Each structure stands twice: as C-alpha cells, then as structure tokens.
Amino acid sequence: MRISGARMVVEALHKEGVNVVFGYPGGAIMNVYDELYKQDYFQHILTRHEQASIHAADGYARATGNVGVAIVTSGPGFTNAITGLATAYMDSIPMVVISGQVPTFLIGTDAFQEIDAVGISRPCTKHNYLVNTIEELPYILKEAFYIASSGRPGPVHIDIPKDITAEIGEFIYPETIVVDTYKPTDKGNIRQVKKAIDAISNAKKPLLYIGGGVISANASDDVREFAKITQIPIVETLMARGSIENNNPLLLGMVGMHGTYAANMAMSEADIIISLGARFDDRVTGKLSEFAKHAEIIHVDIDPTSIGKLVNVDYPIVGNLNKIILEMIEIAKEKINPSRYESWRQILKRYDEIHPLRFEDSDDVIKPQWVIKRVGELLGEKAVISTDVGQHQMWTAQFYPFSFPRQFVTSGGLGTMGFGFPAAMGVKRGKSDLVSINFSGDGSILMNIQELMTAVESRLPVINIVLNNGYLGMVRQWQTFFYDKRYSHTDLTMQPDFVMLAKSFGGVGYRVYTKEEFDRALEDAISKNCVAIIDVVVDRLENVLPMVPSGGTLYNMMLEYKD
Amino acid sequence: MTEIKINKVISVIVKNEHSVLSRISGLFAGRGYNIQSLTVAPIPETNLSRFTIKTSGDKRVIEQIIKQLNKLIPVLKVIQHDGIIEKEMAIVKIPIEESLADIDALCRAYNGKIVNVSEDSIVTMVADEPERVENFLKAIKKYHPKEIVKGGSVAIEQ
C-alpha cells in the first residue's frame, strides 16, 4: 500500500488498537491532522493546551492500562508537551507522543517553530525518535508502541518532519518486532525466588512494601493472594494506592512522608522487607542511613537500575512481577507458615490503634479530610479518583477508601500541579461507566483551567472538587513548620469566582460552605452529567499529618502540630 | 555504603544511530556522573560503534552507570571487565631549537617516535598505557613543548 507519511501515522494507530488520541494542531503537524479529518477509526479530542493533551492521554493510560496517545505540533506545541512527558516518565506510564517537526531541509536553520524536540525530550522519555526517512516510519511507529508498553513502561516520543508526513511511501506495518538491543527480563531467576521465600519463612517480622509496579504489571490480584496465603502485613506507596482493597486487615496504609504511623513503624522494625515494584523513593525512605535498619531486603523489579540504587539489596530479583509473584505464591504455599508472624501482626495492630490516621472534625468549618472521606462514603468504588498536587493529594491518598487498582490517578514522581483535571478527562474517556472525580486545590486547578472547554465540548463530565483554603497549602504548611510562618507568596485569597468560571465555559459550578451543601452539590453535579467545579471552602490552616519532615526518620514522625 | 572512589574504564557497544552520542553524554550529565575521557569510533564492517568511557565513582555509582547504560535502548553491550588492555595517545609539538637526538631517545623509551620535523617545530607521538603517557608528558616538559594534544582511552578485553 503506497500512502503518505501522515496516513501511515493514522493506519499505525488504528493497527495498534487506539480508540482515542488527544492533541492540538499546528503548522508542522497539519498533514497528520488532514488525515485525522478523513478517518473514522478513532476519536480525536481537542484539548485547549498541549500540556493537557499529554496529561489526558496519561490519565487514559493509567485508568485503562492501554498506551495513551497524543499528537502535537513543533516548537511551542512540543515544549508545552514536555511537562506531560516528564510526568509520565517519572511514573512509568505507557504513552506514545507524536510531534510535528519543520521539514528535514529546514532542520538546523532556526526555522519558524523549530526546536530540537528530541534533544529536549531525551531525558524525560523512555526513548525517542527523529524520523529521517519515510521508509523507517512504519517500523518506528511499531517499535514506539512496543517500547512504551513493554518492560518498565514509559512515554516514547516520535518527532516527524513535515516533508516526511507529506511524502508517499510503501506502508507495510510489521506484525511483530524484535529490537536486538532491547530485551527486558521477563522471568525472574527461580533460584533467587526460592532463596527469598526461604528468608521470609525464617523471618519473624516480614513486610510487603508495594509500589506502582504492582499496578503497571496488573499483578494486584496475585499480590493480594500472596498476602492472604502468607498473612504478611502490607504497606503501599502513593503510586500503589488501590492495589490492595482498603478494608484488607493486612493493609497498614501508605508509607513515607505522610504515611500512617503503623506503616512507617512497620518499615522501621521489619526484619525482612519484600519490595514489589517500588523504588525506595526519598519520600518513602526518609533519612536513608536510618531506613529499615533491621531488615534484609528482597527487591523485585523489572528495571535493574531500580535495584541497589539507594539501598543495599540482599535478594535482587529482576523480572516481570506478574510472573514472579505466581512463583512466589507456589513456593510460599509450601514453605511459609502464616501463624509464625502472629505476634508481629499484633504489634502492628497496636501501632495502628495508638496512632490511627485521624483528623479533628468541626461543625463550624468544613475540614478538607472530611470531604475526601465523604466522597468515599458516597461513591466508593463507583469513582476513579484523580488529584492534582499538594495537601489535597496527600489527604486523598490517606482518606479515600480505594478498593481496586487504577482507581487512583496521581502525579507521584514529578508532582505536577495541573495534572489532575486533564488526567481525569482521560480517565472519563477510558472508564465512562465510572464517575471521574478530580480532587484539586485552589492553586492547582488554575494550572489547566482552560480544559473546562475541552470537557464541555467533548462531553467529559469530570467533577472537580476544589478544596479551597486560599493558600498554596502544602508550601504554606512547610512555611508554618520550617520557615517561621513567613508565608512567602502562598496566600491565594485573590481568586476567581469558580462558579461563574465554570458556567462561563458551559459547565456547572457550586460554592460550598457546609456539609449539607456539599452533599447536595455532589449529587447535583453527578445528575447533571457535565463538567463541574465544586468549590469547597475548607479550614484554611489544616495541615497534612502525620509527617516525616524532609530528611527525618520514619520512626520519628510528627504526629501533631501545636502552634 | 562504600565511599571509596574507583576509576573504571567502560566499553559500550551501541547501534550507530542518530543522537546516540547525546544519549550517552546526556545520561552522564543528567545523573551527575563523571567522564574523564570519552572515545567514540565505528566498529569496522558493522553498524555498531564503540564508546570507551573513563569514569570514576564509588561502587554504587559505577554499578548504576553500568545499569543505566544498559537501559538505553540502542546499547547492545556494556563491558567492564577488569582484565582490560587500555591505551592512550598523545601528540606533542616541540620548538626546533631543542635537541632532536635527545627527544628521539625519550620518545623511543616510551614506545613513541618523532612523526614530523618542520622549519620551526618537531612533532612527536606516543601511544601507551595511560600512566606511561602521563610520565612521558612529564619528561617531555624539559623540552618546552608548545602544544600537547591527548586522545581519550581505548580499551579491549585481554
């Protein structure tokens, strides 16, 4: 079949089973947009900013497990996409992002809207390509999807010059692909797995420490099974929230800076830590030299660079968790006696009873944590929850009763404000039968507010719940704790009328001061089935607690703050 | 944690494709790894290139460098055997006023030679183990070198 490079892009996306792409047109990508106009294989959703295109594709990928796809133009179109790529890269999200480039004969001449796109995307993608000839285009498209979705997933960027999208060439799309320099390890070393299970069976205080890898490997059910058989307590990272159902008695909650007391004490006192798809991030470990001092470490990860990067590992196991966990289950059935850990479970239960996750509710003002809990009570497993970044993100991670993997969509590694709303649009597009909630703050929501237009136009009824405290809350909290209350540029009391703002785009808005008003607003927003902002006026000075101050130790948490 | 700094020569075999050099140099720059020297050349009759990178760091850093290099998509192989034969090269320009015979003798002592003599200068070269090249460069100072050009290391397994 002889077709244009632009048509090849469309045909390849179709062959990859793509249902939706998010994007924004411009000069250098117009040939592709012309072919998008002529096809009816899949939907294109026009965002109102390229950053939002990428976040939306990212949210779609996180909610469905499929590769997210976005298309942008050259120059500023592409530089706007970078924050989205970096966000997806840090959280290992499979995506393919296609950008237009100036024609090959103009590359290097500082042409209009020219930028060295692959030069910029290199450190924030798993891999990238500048297409040099029409002949290599089909192969690159195939390889991009393969690389994005295999091994440790990640975003892949393809930069296509405009003359190549115009050129006619022979289109033969490869059915399968072998990249001889890229062979992710799939099966774990079975001897190492046996040794690891032996070590667990001899331990007294084992702990499962699970991360986002459990979700990307679709291994949640099997990890739950492993925990059930062995009765080993579990802590989750931010990225793993949802992989274990919240009412599982073995789950101690989130670990790390704003983790639960029980989870952090478990890390500190465990004698063996079984890390599954987690990467010992600084927000998890606190001060490294004091981290898990009494524990041997089993580290299962698909990416060898994650192993031994920050902590010494006694049992490294490289491979795909969804295969390794099955072997672990088989061996554990024979070797592990769950009653051995009974006293350990009792100790941890005690910790949970002494210092459970809590907040002081009030009748005078809405507490932000109450809002999260309330949405959990009302919607529970009927919603997918996205967040922006800051205090509201941590409260969501702490207080929402997650019950299934991919229910929680948040920018964990990069911490991108402005991520939540466009990501929640992608979630809605991927999971249309569930309610798509975005918890945001009065800071974050303004960082991609133009997406109200996309949500209205493309009928993506995201419900944005803004926990409005008139502050850039998390930074304000650090200023309170560590900067002697010098509130440098964190007071956000100057803000728009969110109700009118939502309405002006054709959405619905609510301003909420009481619990009753909140319940009514949420119910109304769901019934209206259109994009909404629920602007909840919350306690201005509420802090996220408990907290391990930056550089502090997990066993020495700040449990309360007294002025 | 081992804090002892070690020097390491790493050979990286890569697919010879667009921007592979910046992928590797970008990895070192972005993650704060040190490059002491870097030599790149295509491997004859293949579509591959060989990078020889001289670097240093503690054990954890060296391990990370090797793993991170392996993680790059166009990297075929990373070689870091200790039994490695390593050579460096240097070219030195010396004023014509200096004694040709003395310089020749010195060069020979270091497996080197005089490669050119013009109206106003003598050009010598040596290729040897890095420490020996270092010693040669110290010794040659006596003859007031005008210019010294050093190449990076190249290395091969024994």
Side-chain angles (χ1 to χ4, degrees):
Chain A
M1 181 163 57
R2 289 188 63 79
I3 52 176
S4 71
R7 187 73 203 178
M8 287 182 188
V9 171
V10 167
E11 294 293 336
L13 296 184
H14 174 54
K15 285 200 187 290
E16 291 296 336
V18 171
N19 293 316
V20 60
V21 304
F22 300 85
Y24 204 104
I29 196 73
M30 280 185 71
N31 295 329
V32 173
Y33 269 81
D34 193 43
E35 290 300 333
L36 288 175
Y37 185 86
K38 294 184 216 160
Q39 59 85 35
D40 53 12
Y41 294 144
F42 51 82
Q43 185 191 10
H44 174 276
I45 291 178
L46 175 70
T47 61
R48 292 304 191 271
H49 190 287
E50 288 89 351
Q51 184 190 345
S53 306
I54 317 296
H55 289 329
D58 179 328
Y60 175 85
R62 290 184 204 232
T64 63
N66 301 331
V67 177
V69 180
I71 303 179
V72 299
T73 193
S74 67
F78 182 70
T79 56
N80 280 343
I82 283 294
T83 303
L85 281 170
T87 303
Y89 184 56
M90 288 290 272
D91 290 344
S92 307
I93 305 304
M95 289 213 300
V96 170
V97 173
I98 295 167
S99 59
Q101 179 57 279
V102 302
T104 43
F105 54 85
L106 282 179
I107 288 178
T109 65
D110 303 315
F112 177 65
Q113 293 194 329
E114 181 188 359
I115 194 75
D116 174 13
V118 286
I120 300 175
S121 71
R122 196 170 300 122
C124 46
T125 50
K126 183 173 175 185
H127 196 49
N128 63 10
Y129 306 86
L130 171 62
V131 180
N132 288 305
T133 64
I134 184 94
E135 287 75 27
E136 66 186 25
L137 181 57
Y139 185 83
I140 286 176
L141 286 160
K142 180 76 192 177
E143 192 173 283
F145 275 87
Y146 169 61
I147 288 177
S149 57
S150 57
R152 180 179 181 171
V156 176
H157 166 220
I158 309 174
D159 197 33
I160 317 180
K162 192 173 183 180
D163 53 334
I164 290 178
T165 53
E167 199 178 333
I168 305 290
E170 184 63 26
F171 181 70
I172 300 166
Y173 199 64
E175 289 294 321
T176 54
I177 196 149
V178 181
V179 185
D180 47 10
T181 56
Y182 170 73
K183 298 213 163 69
T185 312
D186 198 36
K187 230 169 129 8
N189 182 324
I190 187 75
R191 278 174 51 205
Q192 196 72 348
V193 175
K194 279 185 182 146
K195 270 164 65 186
I197 300 286
D198 269 344
I200 300 169
S201 70
N202 290 322
K204 293 197 178 76
K205 300 173 172 180
L207 182 68
L208 279 162
Y209 156 52
I210 69 173
V214 170
I215 290 174
S216 34
N218 294 319
S220 302
D221 285 348
D222 297 321
V223 171
R224 290 180 188 195
E225 176 70 9
F226 181 78
K228 196 175 147 199
I229 290 167
T230 59
Q231 290 294 305
I232 296 174
I234 311 163
V235 300
E236 281 180 344
T237 67
L238 177 71
M239 293 303 295
R241 297 299 274 154
S243 20
I244 307 297
E245 69 281 22
N246 80 297
N247 54 1
N248 186 320
L250 293 167
L251 181 63
L252 302 168
M254 185 167 72
V255 68
M257 185 173 271
H258 293 297
T260 62
Y261 178 75
N264 284 349
M265 289 308 288
M267 275 289 212
S268 305
E269 293 184 359
D271 62 0
I272 190 158
I273 289 173
I274 308 141
S275 168
L276 305 177
R279 60 182 177 88
F280 298 89
D281 179 80
D282 58 280
R283 286 296 192 264
V284 162
T285 62
K287 190 178 182 184
L288 266 175
S289 58
E290 290 295 309
F291 172 73
K293 278 207 319 212
H294 312 290
E296 283 199 299
I297 292 182
I298 299 167
H299 193 169
V300 182
D301 206 295
I302 196 151
D303 179 359
T305 69
S306 288
I307 297 177
K309 180 172 65 177
L310 293 154
V311 299
N312 290 325
V313 173
D314 303 280
Y315 304 92
I317 302 171
V318 177
N320 195 334
L321 185 59
N322 66 24
K323 300 224 166 76
I324 293 166
I325 190 75
L326 296 179
E327 288 168 346
M328 289 174 71
I329 290 171
E330 280 317 303
I331 305 167
K333 275 181 186 162
E334 291 169 25
K335 292 251 167 115
I336 291 181
N337 173 12
S339 60
R340 186 180 167 87
Y341 317 130
E342 181 55 30
S343 60
W344 169 233
R345 287 191 293 269
Q346 289 309 321
I347 293 169
L348 297 175
K349 205 174 154 211
R350 246 332 258 129
Y351 284 145
D352 191 43
E353 285 160 5
I354 306 170
H355 296 300
L357 212 50
R358 56 184 286 281
F359 66 96
E360 208 72 52
D361 206 359
S362 157
D363 291 329
D364 308 326
V365 58
I366 297 184
K367 290 286 182 169
Q369 300 96 324
W370 176 86
V371 180
I372 315 276
K373 261 188 83 178
R374 186 65 184 150
V375 176
E377 286 160 12
L378 294 172
L379 295 177
E381 59 185 31
K382 292 199 283 285
V384 176
I385 306 298
S386 306
T387 74
D388 270 304
V389 169
Q391 286 184 311
H392 67 271
Q393 178 189 30
M394 291 299 113
W395 285 319
T396 306
Q398 290 177 331
F399 288 98
Y400 197 89
F402 297 105
S403 53
F404 60 90
R406 305 189 182 280
Q407 192 185 10
F408 183 44
V409 170
T410 198
S411 168
L414 197 68
T416 308
M417 290 173 70
F419 169 80
F421 181 18
M425 297 193 310
V427 167
K428 188 65 198 175
R429 179 58 184 74
K431 294 278 174 193
S432 51
D433 48 335
L434 296 174
V435 179
S436 180
I437 299 281
N438 171 40
F439 282 112
S440 188
D442 46 309
S444 289
I445 191 67
L446 286 180
M447 286 207 183
N448 265 316
I449 195 68
Q450 76 288 339
E451 294 312 309
L452 283 166
M453 203 69 265
T454 311
V456 168
E457 180 181 59
S458 294
R459 294 189 197 86
L460 299 167
V462 172
I463 298 174
N464 292 287
I465 300 174
V466 178
L467 302 179
N468 191 341
N469 55 13
Y471 276 121
L472 195 54
M474 187 58 95
V475 181
R476 193 280 307 151
Q477 174 173 337
W478 283 51
Q479 287 169 336
T480 304
F481 290 178
F482 314 119
Y483 291 86
D484 225 0
K485 297 190 183 169
R486 289 184 299 277
Y487 295 138
S488 179
H489 298 271
T490 44
D491 188 316
L492 302 181
T493 35
M494 182 67 85
Q495 47 183 234
D497 180 328
F498 285 107
V499 177
M500 276 164 62
L501 178 67
K503 280 184 183 159
S504 74
F505 282 90
V508 290
Y510 312 83
R511 187 160 169 93
V512 164
Y513 297 92
T514 66
K515 292 176 175 177
E516 294 69 37
E517 285 172 354
F518 179 75
D519 281 7
R520 276 201 301 275
L522 183 61
E523 195 188 339
D524 194 60
I526 292 171
S527 70
K528 288 251 168 50
N529 201 28
C530 89
V531 66
I533 295 181
I534 304 177
D535 178 19
V536 190
V537 180
V538 298
D539 190 345
R540 288 203 77 192
L541 290 172
E542 190 69 18
N543 294 313
V544 181
L545 289 168
M547 178 175 188
V548 179
S550 191
T553 57
L554 291 188
Y555 54 80
N556 197 8
M557 298 189 84
M558 184 193 283
L559 291 161
E560 55 184 354
Y561 170 74
K562 285 230 168 60
D563 208 354
Chain B
M1 212 182 287
T2 41
E3 295 293 343
I4 309 154
K5 240 186 177 188
I6 40 177
N7 292 314
K8 196 89 194 170
V9 178
I10 300 168
S11 289
V12 192
I13 314 294
V14 302
K15 268 203 268 183
N16 202 353
E17 62 180 34
H18 177 78
S19 74
V20 66
L21 172 60
S22 44
R23 284 185 208 284
I24 289 180
S25 62
L27 170 68
F28 276 76
R31 292 189 181 265
Y33 306 143
N34 170 36
I35 298 186
Q36 286 165 359
S37 83
L38 171 71
T39 310
V40 196
I43 300 173
E45 288 164 35
T46 64
N47 62 344
L48 303 172
S49 277
R50 175 190 284 265
F51 282 64
T52 310
I53 303 168
K54 226 172 146 170
T55 184
S56 65
D58 63 30
K59 196 165 152 263
R60 194 190 293 282
V61 167
I62 298 290
E63 246 179 61
Q64 269 295 308
I65 291 175
I66 290 158
K67 285 179 176 178
Q68 293 285 355
L69 284 167
N70 265 312
K71 190 174 164 180
L72 294 174
I73 309 285
V75 168
L76 185 65
K77 205 160 123 190
V78 181
I79 307 160
Q80 51 113 17
H81 291 287
D82 293 315
I84 213 165
I85 295 171
E86 185 192 348
K87 296 285 178 190
E88 246 178 43
M89 181 179 169
I91 304 176
V92 183
K93 192 186 275 181
I94 297 160
I96 196 74
E97 292 78 22
E98 302 292 337
S99 157
L100 207 56
D102 288 0
I103 291 167
D104 187 50
L106 178 63
C107 288
R108 280 169 194 281
Y110 283 96
N111 287 334
K113 58 185 176 185
I114 291 172
V115 288
N116 192 50
V117 180
S118 65
E119 299 184 323
D120 52 4
S121 54
I122 307 162
V123 175
T124 70
M125 65 152 283
V126 286
D128 213 328
E129 273 98 49
E131 301 90 85
R132 283 185 45 85
V133 173
E134 234 14 77
N135 288 339
F136 170 79
L137 293 177
K138 276 184 202 153
I140 202 85
K141 272 193 182 151
K142 193 177 158 197
Y143 303 101
H144 309 100
K146 295 202 284 189
E147 217 178 323
I148 298 172
V149 178
K150 255 183 84 177
S153 282
V154 288
I156 200 164
E157 290 171 82
Q158 275 173 8

